[in-house]
Every structure is written in structure tokens, then in C-alpha cells.
Amino acid sequence: MVAMDNLITGSQDNIAHLAGNPDFEFIYHDVSNFIHVAGPVDAVLHFASPASPIDYLKYPIQTLKVGALGTHNALGLARSKAARFLLASTSEVYGDPLVHPQRETYAGNVDPVGPRGVYDEAKRYAEALVMAYHRQHGMETRIVRIFNTYGPRMRLDDGRVVPNFIGQAIRGEPLTIYGDGSQTRCFQYIDDLIEGVVRLLQSEYVDPVNIGTTREISVLEFARIVNTVAANDAGAVYADGSRIEGDPQIRKPNTALARRVLNWQPQIELEEGLDRTIRYFRATLSQPA
Ligand code: UDP
């Protein structure tokens, strides 16, 4: 297995446990530039991209480039190796949805020039490019639309709600609610996502497939659950009164397709996944630097 990353938002610490593995190689590379991999390749899984709103606002051009040029290079690599290709896409292709829950057939409500446009449009373009390679070259391609996912090895300062809340809860601080906290999300544990991705890669299904949980909760309710699991009694505060520009008000996948074609459904309850994640961060933070 070969992993490639330019580490602008990732960390090599996350793969430190693989360092001595003879079947694993890490190449420090920005996939927006031409990709070279020696020898045969069975599958190319293109997950490269900043994924947190604060990251893609910090790296707007790299985010567009990795969705466009990075996807193009990764498809080119897969084509030259006659390898299967999987694109990590996102629920953000649905934007601030006007259809709820979101089925794969919903085309979305995205503002190309809004603050999230750099990420949303990059992923929408990436999906279009993947389907073009499939249709024109007959390539074996797969597209997974990933909904909010959390778990160990996230960056505690990546700005997303799960690491923010967990960091705050561990430090005994109040959790910061953006907007009025009524906006909803569904949170899935990383192991469930990986199971869905592997099943999709091995399936024969070409059109996009949603992978996410269907337990929809408001950010306010989520804060209450995090505080309960972490035993934090500092409560929550409103970070600012207004809604963040471009922040989707509701989000929930319809996962009937994943159940039907992948026989997949999430196994790990939110409280259980949060407990595992909080334990991981407590253990990591208590280690000497
Ligand atoms: N959010 C929040 N407090 C935080 C971080 C995020 O209330 O400290 C909100 C954010 O405004 C959004 C939701 O939590 O409504 C999920 O945000 P995240 O950045 O995790 O991902 P998104 O689903 O928006 O891509």
C-alpha cells in the first residue's frame, strides 16, 4: 500500500504505527502535481483534500486544485495502471439542501461564489470528471458521498464541531455553539465509514452512494450529548448570535441505496463512538509532547 499526502492538513503521526510495515510506503507529494507510482496498482482511492471549513477557507486555491487537478492526476494514474478508482466525495455536494433527507438523485443547492463554494464545487467537478472517465474510457469508478464523520486521529484544532467540542469538554470549558444551534447534522463513526468505503470499492455500483448515519440531531443536542459522555459540567455558550454564512441548516442522508447495494448500515451508536474518541484524545493529550 502506498499513501500520498502533502500534509497541509494531515499529520504523519497518524501513520506512525505503519512505519516498520514492509507492505506500506508513504510518499510526501501534492497530488495536484503529476503522480508517479512504480509497479502495478489495483486501486486508487482519492481522499486528498482539506475537509474542514476553516481549512478550506485557509487554502481555497489548493482545495479547488486538489478537487480538479488532483482528481485528474489520480484518474490518470488509475487509467495507466488499469486500476479501479474511488473518489471520496461529500454531502457538501448537496449544499444547503432544499430536499430532506438527501437522496443521491438530489442535485443540490450550492452557491458557487459562497464561502464553501471552493470545496463544494471542487467536489462536484471531481464527481463530473470521474463520471466522464467512466463513460469515455470505460474505467471502473466509484463515488462515495461522505456525511459528517468523526473518530480518533482527527486534528483537535481542525475547527469542525466534533474536535472543537471534544477539546473543550476535555479542558472543562463550555462548548461553543455557532449560530442558534438549531442546525442539524448526522454523525457517523470512522469505522462505519471505512466499512462502507471498502464495500463500495468491491461492489459493481458506479453512481454515487451516500454513507452516513440517519440519526439527525441539532448542534445544541449534540453539545448536550458530548458534555454527558465527557462528564463536562461547563455547559455551552453561543459563540455569536447569527448564523454562519453558508452553514447548511439541515443535513441528513437517505441511505436506502447503501443498504440495498452494499448491504451496509452503521453499527456504532453516537454515544459509543464519542466515548471511544474522547478516550483517545484524553490518552493522547496526557502523553508528554
Ligand atoms: N459548529 C458549532 N461549534 C463549533 C464548530 C462548529 O456550533 O465549535 C457548528 C457549525 O456551524 C455547523 C456544525 O457545527 O453548523 C457542523 O460543523 P462542522 O464544521 O463540523 O462541519 P459541516 O457539517 O458544517 O461541514
Side-chain angles (χ1 to χ4, degrees):
M1 182 180 299
V2 177
M4 233 174 232
D5 200 325
N6 68 350
L7 301 174
I8 63 167
T9 63
S11 165
Q12 226 171 324
D13 292 346
N14 289 339
I15 51 169
H17 59 291
L18 297 169
N21 187 330
D23 296 326
F24 180 80
E25 182 188 356
F26 175 72
I27 300 176
Y28 174 79
H29 181 69
D30 178 349
V31 298
S32 297
N33 300 313
F34 183 85
I35 304 168
H36 173 73
V37 174
V41 173
D42 299 317
V44 175
L45 289 86
H46 177 33
F47 278 71
S49 179
S52 157
I54 63 161
D55 285 340
Y56 53 75
L57 294 176
K58 186 171 168 195
Y59 301 110
I61 296 171
Q62 284 103 318
T63 301
L64 281 159
K65 284 175 74 177
V66 77
L69 304 174
T71 304
H72 190 202
N73 291 330
L75 279 162
L77 171 70
R79 186 168 177 235
S80 73
K81 303 282 186 182
R84 194 168 272 215
F85 182 89
L86 181 139
L87 173 71
S89 185
T90 170
S91 56
E92 287 278 339
V93 299
Y94 303 119
D96 194 5
L98 305 176
V99 168
H100 195 71
Q102 292 81 54
R103 288 181 60 187
E104 289 85 350
T105 48
Y106 175 49
N109 175 37
V110 172
D111 178 1
V113 294
R116 291 179 179 237
V118 294
Y119 183 64
D120 301 5
E121 297 294 9
K123 291 291 189 182
R124 290 166 66 92
Y125 173 86
E127 289 196 7
L129 195 60
V130 169
M131 292 310 291
Y133 267 70
H134 170 72
R135 290 179 183 130
Q136 176 133 18
H137 298 307
M139 265 178 66
E140 285 279 6
T141 58
R142 309 286 179 262
I143 298 172
V144 55
R145 290 187 179 151
I146 300 172
F147 283 66
N148 292 67
T149 305
Y150 69 94
R153 303 199 184 118
M154 291 183 100
R155 237 175 58 227
L156 217 42
D157 65 349
D158 92 355
R160 283 181 286 184
V161 69
V162 177
N164 271 11
F165 280 8
I166 288 181
Q168 289 157 350
I170 288 176
R171 295 190 298 270
E173 298 167 5
L175 313 192
T176 52
I177 310 284
Y178 298 170
D180 67 4
S182 67
Q183 66 273 36
T184 67
R185 296 290 186 274
C186 304
F187 297 96
Q188 72 177 329
Y189 189 65
I190 179 67
D191 292 12
D192 283 326
L193 169 66
I194 292 171
E195 180 65 29
V197 167
V198 171
R199 288 185 188 214
L200 177 61
L201 182 68
Q202 292 169 346
S203 80
E204 297 309 311
Y205 197 80
V206 172
D207 288 332
V209 179
N210 291 338
I211 296 287
T213 65
T214 51
R215 178 172 165 193
E216 182 183 13
I217 54 174
S218 69
V219 166
L220 261 183
E221 171 71 358
F222 183 58
R224 197 190 58 72
I225 295 171
V226 170
N227 276 336
T228 303
V229 176
N232 177 33
D233 54 18
V237 289
Y238 290 96
D240 70 11
S242 60
R243 193 179 154 204
I244 308 285
E245 191 192 349
D247 193 358
Q249 181 58 29
I250 47 175
R251 178 184 294 156
K252 175 185 176 178
N254 177 318
T255 55
L257 186 64
R259 282 199 304 273
R260 181 163 61 77
V261 299
L262 308 179
N263 191 24
W264 173 90
Q265 59 179 30
Q267 305 294 326
I268 300 179
E269 268 302 321
L270 180 59
E271 286 78 0
E272 165 66 20
L274 281 174
D275 185 53
R276 291 188 199 180
T277 309
I278 290 166
R279 281 174 200 276
Y280 165 83
F281 280 115
R282 280 199 212 276
T284 313
L285 294 176
S286 64
Q287 280 167 10

